[in-house]
Amino acid sequence: MLFGAWYVKQDEATQRRSQERLIVGLDWLIELKQTNRDMDAVLNWVIQQMPASLGNVITVGDVEGADRYTFAGVPIGARPVKLLQNQGYMVGYDETLRNPAWVAYHLKRGDRSAASERLETFETDRRTRARVRHGDYSHSGYDRGHMAPNYAIDSVFGERAQQETFLMSNIVPQRPELNQGPWKEFEQVVANRYLKDYQEVWVITGPVYREPIQRLVSGVAIPSAFFKVIIDVVEPTGVRALALILDQEVTNSTKLSQHLVTIDAVEAATGLDLLSLLDDTAESSLEADLAKRLW
């Protein structure tokens, strides 16, 4: 009560700093993983009531290029890719590395609740020359890691779209500790909480390579890390973004917030230009902004 009386007398800047400190404390409690899911939901609700939880919102004006899959044009890179369109996501496929260079999808909150049955095998995508097979990963020590997640795509687009996430053109080698741990955890945060709180988000995700590039026996390149960029439209002309890079070696005990980076850092690591159709000034501001939290 004393805090409340003090708070209302402060100027806007002081109030925002107070909110930011409180948000840091609440995020810390959530990331300790000592609270249950219901308590985490309550803490996240409290955070969402504070204007500071939005982070930095960049005014971008009218965005040309926002479409079914991407917010501001498809990623552009020096390496050639083949564009593969599916019902729920788009792939820029790198035939030489035998992996997707990037995957983009746009998730909107819907009424679908029933989950489709998960497939047991992955299918060769015959639109590619690489024709990577399910068996190319067998006994390699790596999981077949989804880039477009089957759960989120299923929850928004339905069974047929979910089945298409099991095409090998959507798959990369991921260590089990990453694929079944932090990577899966963040995918579920996006699919469950972000769609509930923010209604829609654009996602770009893909592998990061560092020289020398290692390969499976089958010739599939093994990424060193993976990136994920989330775009949220806060108002008609306002946008915020967050980006992460997760190394293959991260464990289930990692705090996702420790892996936040700028979009500029993702572009430097991948050689991709991710938001090429934005106005140059808006693009520079958005891509240089470092999110302070996972929203």
Side-chain angles (χ1 to χ4, degrees):
M1 191 167 181
L2 289 175
F3 174 79
W6 171 87
Y7 178 84
V8 297
K9 294 179 180 179
Q10 305 308 305
D11 59 31
E12 185 175 338
T14 303
Q15 288 181 350
R16 184 176 179 88
R17 287 195 297 271
S18 298
Q19 291 175 25
E20 289 173 346
R21 293 190 190 101
L22 180 55
I23 288 169
V24 168
L26 295 177
D27 278 337
W28 178 78
L29 286 175
I30 293 169
E31 289 202 338
L32 275 179
K33 299 179 181 178
Q34 299 299 311
T35 52
N36 60 35
R37 184 173 299 179
D38 290 339
M39 179 56 69
D40 287 347
V42 171
L43 294 176
N44 277 311
W45 180 86
V46 172
I47 290 171
Q48 296 305 321
Q49 308 315 302
M50 293 182 247
S53 68
L54 286 176
N56 293 330
V57 178
I58 310 298
T59 300
V60 299
D62 294 332
V63 179
E64 296 182 4
D67 62 15
R68 181 177 178 183
Y69 306 100
T70 62
F71 175 71
V74 299
I76 299 172
R79 297 181 60 84
V81 297
K82 183 173 185 177
L83 295 181
L84 305 173
Q85 294 190 16
N86 301 293
Q87 184 172 334
Y89 68 100
M90 175 188 282
V91 177
Y93 192 76
D94 188 323
E95 297 279 7
T96 302
L97 295 178
R98 301 168 66 86
N99 279 327
W102 53 265
V103 168
Y105 50 99
H106 179 200
L107 301 176
K108 288 186 176 183
R109 183 171 65 187
D111 298 327
R112 179 176 170 78
S113 58
S116 303
E117 183 177 353
R118 181 184 171 93
L119 301 182
E120 295 297 326
T121 59
F122 294 75
E123 295 295 327
T124 297
D125 192 333
R126 300 193 176 280
R127 297 172 295 179
T128 67
R129 295 193 311 275
R131 301 287 177 91
V132 178
R133 301 174 297 111
H134 177 100
D136 288 341
Y137 283 57
S138 297
H139 311 297
S140 68
Y142 288 88
D143 282 358
R144 300 168 184 85
H146 286 76
M147 292 292 93
N150 77 92
Y151 173 75
I153 296 297
D154 181 31
S155 65
V156 175
F157 298 102
E159 183 174 10
R160 179 186 169 192
Q162 184 251 19
Q163 291 173 349
E164 289 180 336
T165 67
F166 285 83
L167 290 169
M168 291 299 295
S169 56
N170 181 45
I171 303 303
V172 290
Q174 280 188 325
R175 291 189 182 275
E177 294 82 1
L178 171 63
N179 182 45
Q180 299 169 36
W183 193 256
K184 178 180 179 181
E185 176 188 347
F186 189 53
E187 286 178 340
Q188 291 181 340
V189 167
V190 173
N192 294 323
R193 186 161 63 78
Y194 285 13
L195 290 190
K196 175 178 177 292
D197 292 342
Y198 314 128
Q199 299 192 41
E200 63 175 326
V201 292
W202 279 263
V203 183
I204 309 170
T205 189
V208 175
Y209 300 95
R210 302 187 186 107
E211 298 290 346
I213 298 175
Q214 305 296 314
R215 293 180 182 259
L216 302 182
V217 173
S218 60
V220 175
I222 302 172
S224 304
F226 301 88
F227 74 89
K228 198 176 289 288
V229 173
I230 314 290
I231 304 293
D232 174 38
V233 177
V234 178
E235 52 192 50
T237 60
V239 172
R240 61 179 180 156
L242 65 79
L244 298 96
I245 294 179
L246 289 169
D247 283 357
Q248 286 273 26
E249 289 72 23
V250 301
T251 65
N252 198 40
S253 62
T254 192
K255 291 183 172 63
L256 288 169
S257 60
Q258 295 176 343
H259 300 274
L260 287 168
V261 297
T262 63
I263 298 177
D264 279 339
V266 171
E267 292 183 332
T270 61
L272 296 172
D273 183 1
L274 298 181
L275 302 171
S276 60
L277 295 184
L278 280 181
D279 170 85
D280 288 345
T281 301
E283 181 181 2
S284 296
S285 297
L286 188 64
E287 293 183 350
D289 185 58
L290 176 63
K292 295 182 175 64
R293 58 184 302 272
L294 291 173
W295 302 341

